[in-house]
Amino acid sequence: MVATCDCGREAEMTRTAGELAQYLGVALVGDAGAEVSGVASPERAGEKDLIYLESPRHQERAAASWARCVLAPPLIPLAGKTILETSEPKLAFAKAAEWLLRAPAPHGPVHSTAIVAPEAKLAADVAIGPYVVIEDGVEIGPGTTIEAFCFLGRGSRVGRGCRLHPRVTLYAGARLGDRVELHSGVVIGADGFGYVFGEGRHWKFPQIGTVEIGDDVEIGANTTIDRGSLETTRIGNGVKIDNLVQVGHNVQIGEHSILASQVGISGSSTLGKCVFVGGQAGMGEHCRIEDGAVIGGQAGVLPHKIVRRGQIVWGTPARSLEKFKEQSAWLARLPELGERIRNGLTGWR
């Protein structure tokens, strides 16, 4: 095994097709010794890149690619290629990419411009980039990389194997599990948006809870997750959150849920496991989205509403996909119906 590296985000590891087939648990047809060191689309691939083919419709693209190794369903002929046969090529491709494209090892230890409080606890192989600020009581687990200009507030904790990209902010007391990746501009633990009106003014409701983020979570650039008001905002294991998402105070998001860009979740809402929320969808306070539900793009779930297990909803206010499609079809016919009504009334007169 030979390690190679370019100036990209990740280091490439050269493996053989046989090693890759063994790792993925798939059948191999062709040269087990063919080298594989990266992943790419068929058109951009080099000889040592891995590509994937999901259906015979794209067979010509794969056949014309420079890549020698292809993940493909069984019994698809590709002359001159080494084929790793699997019923789920796209999933296998994602797993192969994670294996082949390891993140660079921490280059630490601590940059000379970083400010690290004396009572902070850093594991031996942690890497701290330029101008990072780490306050008292912070704990950082082994194999974690904190990149330039990040701020870790007092008492916050970061697990093992995490990566904080430049300019991430953890407010005091925030907790990250293991293998968490936070992209640039993420803010964890800011005050929630809570006020009580009385005596002619808005009084700020206490925002003294915290945020807990589980293992294997990835959060996109400029997303914000507010601390709980009196309790805890929780993001479950395996959750993936896109860029520019707002998660309000006390929100609970179940394991392996997906939130696309520009989603907004109001305070004290609960999302179950494996929930999918499309881009620009919004939820009012105290909503409950049960396991496996799908909230369509730009849908609006009204406050205190419940979306049942496995239900697919769309539109504002959110309703079942079937109802949304039926109403949209009628809405598209309104000009025609209006013209028919006008003509009918004119004829009647």
Side-chain angles (χ1 to χ4, degrees), residues 6-7 27 49 122 143 150 165 168 172 178 202 267 286 296 304 308 324:
D6 60 18
C7 58
D49 285 323
L122 279 59
C150 288
H165 291 265
V168 167
D178 297 335
H202 293 285
H286 296 274
H304 299 274
R308 296 297 181 187
F324 173 79

Side-chain angles (χ1 to χ4, degrees), residues 151-154 156-158 164 168-174 176 182 186-189:
F151 173 84
L152 281 64
R154 69 185 184 281
S156 56
R157 294 184 182 178
V158 181
L164 277 58
V168 167
T169 298
L170 301 185
Y171 276 65
L176 307 185
L182 305 182
V186 166
V187 178
I188 305 295

Side-chain angles (χ1 to χ4, degrees), residues 49-313:
D49 285 323
L50 177 71
I51 62 174
Y52 76 97
L53 171 68
E54 280 199 285
S55 85
R57 288 182 301 147
H58 304 294
Q59 189 171 347
E60 290 185 5
R61 292 178 61 207
S65 175
W66 282 98
R68 293 178 61 192
C69 293
V70 184
L71 283 160
L75 305 178
I76 294 182
L78 291 166
K81 305 292 188 187
T82 293
I83 303 173
L84 286 75
E85 293 186 334
T86 171
S87 59
E88 296 183 283
K90 192 171 185 178
L91 174 61
F93 185 79
K95 293 167 70 175
E98 185 175 286
W99 193 55
L100 291 167
L101 305 178
R102 298 292 188 186
H107 51 72
V110 178
H111 195 275
S112 60
T113 61
I115 300 173
V116 181
E119 294 184 13
K121 298 179 181 178
L122 279 59
D125 58 348
V126 167
I128 307 297
Y131 301 102
V132 170
V133 176
I134 299 176
E135 293 192 330
D136 281 332
V138 171
E139 296 182 14
I140 302 176
T144 286
T145 297
I146 312 293
E147 298 190 16
F149 294 100
C150 288
F151 173 84
L152 281 64
R154 69 185 184 281
S156 56
R157 294 184 182 178
V158 181
R160 62 176 59 238
C162 296
R163 186 175 185 184
L164 277 58
H165 291 265
R167 300 185 187 278
V168 167
T169 298
L170 301 185
Y171 276 65
R175 302 285 193 270
L176 307 185
D178 297 335
R179 300 173 301 281
V180 173
E181 184 167 7
L182 305 182
H183 290 273
S184 294
V186 166
V187 178
I188 305 295
D191 283 0
F193 192 68
Y195 296 88
V196 180
F197 189 79
E199 301 176 358
R201 55 166 286 193
H202 293 285
W203 298 82
K204 186 179 179 75
F205 193 81
Q207 304 295 316
I208 56 175
T210 188
V211 178
E212 293 181 0
I213 294 177
D215 299 337
D216 302 301
V217 172
E218 184 167 0
I219 300 176
N222 294 319
T223 283
T224 57
I225 300 179
D226 293 343
R227 68 176 56 250
S229 53
L230 303 178
E231 300 178 11
T232 301
T233 302
R234 287 190 177 88
I235 311 298
N237 295 338
V239 169
K240 311 299 180 186
I241 301 178
D242 200 357
N243 304 331
L244 298 168
V245 171
Q246 159 65 18
V247 178
H249 58 260
N250 300 339
V251 167
Q252 313 289 305
I253 300 179
E255 295 180 355
H256 306 296
S257 291
I258 295 281
L259 278 62
S261 182
Q262 298 183 15
V263 164
I265 305 177
S266 296
S268 300
S269 291
T270 300
L271 280 66
K273 298 178 181 178
C274 299
V275 169
F276 178 84
V277 185
Q280 296 186 331
M283 278 156 266
E285 68 273 10
H286 296 274
C287 288
R288 190 170 91 232
I289 315 299
E290 295 183 348
D291 295 352
V294 175
I295 311 299
Q298 296 189 326
V301 182
L302 299 182
H304 299 274
K305 293 296 183 180
I306 299 172
V307 178
R308 296 297 181 187
R309 182 186 183 95
Q311 188 177 10
I312 302 174
V313 298

